Structure formats: structure tokens, C-alpha cells
Amino acid sequence: MDYYGSSIGRLIESLSSLPGIGKKSAQRLAFHIAAMPEEQVKAIADSLVEARSNVHFCKHCCTLTDGDICPICQSSKRNHRQIMVVENSRDLAAYEKTGRYDGVYHVLHGAISPMTGVGPNDIKLKELLMRLQDEDGEASADEIIIATNSSVEGESTAMYIVKLVKTLELPIKVTRIATGVPVGGDIENIDEVTLERALKGRTEL
Amino acid sequence: MDYYGSSIGRLIESLSSLPGIGKKSAQRLAFHIAAMPEEQVKAIADSLVEARSNVHFCKHCCTLTDGDICPICQSSKRNHRQIMVVENSRDLAAYEKTGRYDGVYHVLHGAISPMTGVGPNDIKLKELLMRLQDEDGEASADEIIIATNSSVEGESTAMYIVKLVKTLELPIKVTRIATGVPVGGDIENIDEVTLERALKGRTEL
């Protein structure tokens, strides 16, 4: 790749190390960046370094955030006794966008997956259990809503959490978000497992 | 978006200002970056700033490169009397990858497009004309191969270059890369204009 000169080559290489950016997009981005106003490039570079050094796991819900505790866990408007368990911070963001959930979250940062060697200790499960009990051994939550993905890993993780919470013997309800036909979904194009689950989960009108 | 905390929010914003990176990919990238090893993030940030400050237009062919003159224009193995005119440095890279071209290039950095307000003076046409004549008024090239895109803008630019070069009244051949059916292309799925051009440009076997 010495037809670009080494700076562009290095930039292409470092950009294509990011997820979802292939050789072609990295090349397009690199040439775009090389022609951008210098301050703008500096601003992007700074925001990268800044995000990496400022961002930590929230001490309560483990989402990625500035400082010790995330804005949601700090908010007095949220119901802190209702905890939605999600696989990652992007799933949290997706639920926040609905604007219809006023509880708090717990971010696992993964799902149990024996195939890829991710066990219960590799995700933030210990931190979840710690949150469910106060110092006096009383339940510090009323409900845990499991919103892991509807994949094999997500489902196993959900089952595992149910078992874990049951062992605490506390009056905490554990629920799972519904599986079914997505809004706007065309029945004829939806897989059988989803259709079966949608039938099983039917509700009275 | 204050559910992320401000550092992640700023990073998402700055990433989504880049071409081809939408809100969703920016979000995925940002969370990935926030969880990456610190040195790796610094390296990416440095390569951004470094590329922007080191990279200039090559004094001969106008491609983006480190230093004054690009490796291709410096090379004694290339035929400096054959100049391929391309729209941008990515097109140069595409032809270099074929390994079948040993002339040099001229990068226009755009194509004439009255619709978007790009005129002949907005692309590196003046620089091309300057390259074609030496101090004594003699031709300093034998052939110009026009390899602009096969789009309306690319074609108009090609026609414009032909006219410009003709006004110099020098013995320089001007050629255009062939339009036709791409290798592996399925005739039934190819548009009529391409098919018509492929027919017109047929060669004897």
C-alpha cells in the first residue's frame, strides 16, 4: 500500500481495526479525514481519547458512563425498585428511546455463551445479585425485567438469572419481555419459532 | 441522549459526522472504543491527527500523500509520459491494485458537476494542463488516459479535458477507458446504456 504514503496507510490500518469498518470504508474515511479542516480532525481525536479516559462502569448498573454513577441511576424520577437487565449499553439506549420505561437498568456486558467461552463470571451477574439485597438482607428491588436478546445466549442467560434470583429467596418478581411478531411484521415472512411463541404469548383483548 | 453521559455522547456525535457512519454505527463504535485498551485508542487518535497534518497534495499528480511528491511520481520505474486522469485518490488505489498500469496519475479531486456547483476551476484541471508542457513549450506527455467515472459528471469532465488538451495543439493522444459489461456480469441484469456501449465498443477476436 505504499502508493498512499505511510501516514494514510497507517490511518487506514487503524480505522479498519474498528468493528464494522472494512478496508474499503477505512480507505474512504481516511481520505476524507486527510482533507478535513485540521481543528475538526483534532476534535474527533480528542473525543476518542476523552471518551476512553472518562468513561467507566456505573457503580450501580454497570453501564458505560462518565464519572461514578450514570444519569439514570442518579435520577430521583426513576423507580429504583424496578431493574431491567440488558446485555449491553446499546440495548439500554434502545429502551430509553421508547421513553416508556421509568425503572433503572442493569447492564451485563455480554450473555452466557459456552460456545465462545463466556461463563457467568465473565458478565456482570455478581454485581446484579449484590444490588438485590440491602445490608439487612431485605430485598432492595420489587421486579427484575429480563431484556436479554431472544437468542440462544440471551435465553440461557435469562434462565440462569431466574435460577440465581430464586436462590436468594426474596420477594422479587422476575419477568421476561415478550417474544412475538414485531410491529409491521409480515406473518408470512416470520420464522416458525417466533410464530409459535407469539401464539403461546397471546393476550386477551 | 444524556443517558450515555456526555463523553460518549460527544464521541457519537463526532463519529457520525464522518461519511458513511450513521447514528447506529457511531453508537456501536463509541461503545467499542470506550471499552478498548487505552494505548490503542491513543494510537488511533494519533494516526488521525498525524495523517491530517502530514498529508498534502503531491506537487506533480495532486494525490494525497506524505511529503511533497508521492511514491509513484518519484519512481523511476514508471512511465512518466503516460498520465491517467482519475477523480480521486481511491480510484488511483483501485488501478494500482490491478498491478497492470505502469504510467503515472493525475488526481482531479472531483468531477465537473453544474448541479452541485462544481466548475472546472474547483478541480485540479489547471494543474493537469501545467504538467503537459515543459518550459520550451514541448509536450511532456505522450498519452492522457481519462479514467473518470462512467457517470454524467465523469463523462462531462472527460469531454471537457479532451477539449482543453486539443487547444494546446500538442502531439498528445487522449484516450478513455472502455465502458462495457463488467467481468462476471450477467447480461440480463445489466442496464441498456451499458449494453449499448459494450456493443459499440466491441473488439475483434
Side-chain angles (χ1 to χ4, degrees):
Chain A
M1 293 223 299
D2 63 343
Y3 37 89
Y4 300 128
S6 58
S7 298
I8 291 259
R10 265 197 301 277
L11 180 56
I12 292 176
E13 212 148 298
S14 74
L15 289 173
S16 54
S17 73
L18 295 169
I21 298 192
K23 218 74 217 163
K24 272 261 164 112
S25 334
Q27 198 181 310
R28 197 180 56 223
L29 284 171
F31 284 116
H32 180 89
I33 288 163
M36 260 164 79
E38 193 144 7
E39 324 81 78
Q40 217 174 321
V41 176
K42 283 229 173 80
I44 296 179
D46 289 346
S47 66
L48 281 165
V49 175
E50 188 197 298
R52 178 58 188 84
S53 64
N54 286 358
V55 170
H56 306 279
F57 292 130
C58 167
K59 284 201 171 156
H60 294 160
C61 73
C62 302
T63 194
L64 290 165
T65 190
D66 292 14
D68 280 346
I69 295 169
C70 78
I72 294 171
C73 288
Q74 277 179 39
S75 167
S76 60
K77 285 182 190 146
R78 314 289 299 224
N79 175 1
H80 291 262
R81 296 188 66 85
Q82 194 176 37
I83 301 175
M84 181 185 285
V85 180
V86 291
E87 290 186 21
N88 55 52
S89 300
R90 300 188 303 277
D91 296 350
L92 177 158
Y95 258 100
E96 278 304 284
K97 268 179 212 141
T98 68
R100 293 306 181 100
Y101 177 66
D102 69 352
V104 293
Y105 295 89
H106 188 84
V107 181
L108 295 174
H109 292 283
I112 297 170
S113 164
M115 292 284 284
T116 55
V118 180
N121 293 327
D122 300 318
I123 61 177
K124 307 279 182 193
L125 275 175
K126 214 170 51 223
E127 290 80 354
L128 174 63
L129 287 190
M130 305 265 284
R131 288 177 74 179
L132 300 181
Q133 251 174 325
D134 60 19
E135 296 98 59
D136 309 327
E138 299 287 325
S140 45
D142 297 326
E143 183 180 1
I144 298 176
I145 303 166
I146 306 179
T148 52
N149 285 338
S150 179
S151 59
V152 177
E153 293 80 13
E155 294 291 355
S156 342
T157 308
M159 290 305 108
Y160 193 87
I161 293 172
V162 172
K163 270 193 207 159
L164 271 185
V165 175
K166 290 254 160 87
T167 60
L168 294 179
E169 296 187 348
L170 289 169
I172 301 175
K173 195 159 73 173
V174 183
T175 57
R176 178 90 174 101
I177 54 166
T179 317
V181 178
V183 176
D186 217 342
I187 300 282
E188 67 172 3
N189 298 324
I190 289 170
D191 64 290
E192 298 121 70
V193 185
T194 304
L195 289 180
E196 192 193 316
R197 298 250 192 114
L199 180 66
K200 228 184 191 173
R202 66 192 181 278
T203 51
E204 211 176 303
L205 295 178
Chain B
M1 292 225 295
D2 62 343
Y3 38 90
Y4 300 128
S6 57
S7 299
I8 290 259
R10 264 197 302 276
L11 179 57
I12 293 176
E13 212 148 299
S14 75
L15 289 173
S16 55
S17 74
L18 295 170
I21 299 191
K23 218 72 212 168
K24 273 260 164 111
S25 335
Q27 198 181 309
R28 197 181 56 223
L29 284 172
F31 283 116
H32 180 88
I33 287 163
M36 257 164 83
E38 194 144 8
E39 323 81 77
Q40 217 175 321
V41 176
K42 282 228 174 82
I44 296 179
D46 290 345
S47 67
L48 281 165
V49 175
E50 187 198 296
R52 177 57 189 84
S53 65
N54 287 358
V55 171
H56 307 280
F57 293 129
C58 167
K59 284 200 172 157
H60 295 160
C61 74
C62 302
T63 193
L64 291 165
T65 189
D66 293 15
D68 279 347
I69 295 169
C70 78
I72 294 172
C73 287
Q74 276 178 41
S75 167
S76 59
K77 285 182 191 145
R78 315 287 300 222
N79 176 0
H80 290 262
R81 297 188 65 85
Q82 193 176 37
I83 301 175
M84 181 186 284
V85 180
V86 291
E87 289 186 22
N88 55 52
S89 301
R90 300 189 303 278
D91 297 347
L92 177 158
Y95 258 101
E96 279 304 285
K97 267 180 212 142
T98 68
R100 294 305 182 101
Y101 177 65
D102 68 351
V104 293
Y105 295 90
H106 188 84
V107 181
L108 295 174
H109 292 283
I112 298 170
S113 164
M115 292 284 285
T116 56
V118 180
N121 293 326
D122 299 319
I123 60 176
K124 307 280 182 192
L125 274 175
K126 216 170 49 221
E127 289 80 355
L128 174 63
L129 287 189
M130 305 266 286
R131 288 177 74 181
L132 300 181
Q133 253 173 322
D134 59 20
E135 295 99 56
D136 308 326
E138 298 288 323
S140 44
D142 297 326
E143 184 179 1
I144 298 177
I145 303 165
I146 306 179
T148 52
N149 286 337
S150 179
S151 59
V152 178
E153 292 80 14
E155 295 291 354
S156 341
T157 308
M159 290 303 108
Y160 193 86
I161 293 172
V162 172
K163 270 192 208 159
L164 271 185
V165 175
K166 289 256 160 86
T167 60
L168 294 179
E169 297 188 350
L170 289 169
I172 302 176
K173 196 158 76 172
V174 184
T175 57
R176 179 91 174 100
I177 54 165
T179 316
V181 178
V183 176
D186 215 343
I187 301 281
E188 70 172 2
N189 299 323
I190 289 171
D191 65 289
E192 299 121 69
V193 185
T194 303
L195 289 180
E196 192 192 317
R197 298 248 193 114
L199 179 66
K200 230 187 193 167
R202 67 191 180 278
T203 51
E204 211 177 303
L205 296 177

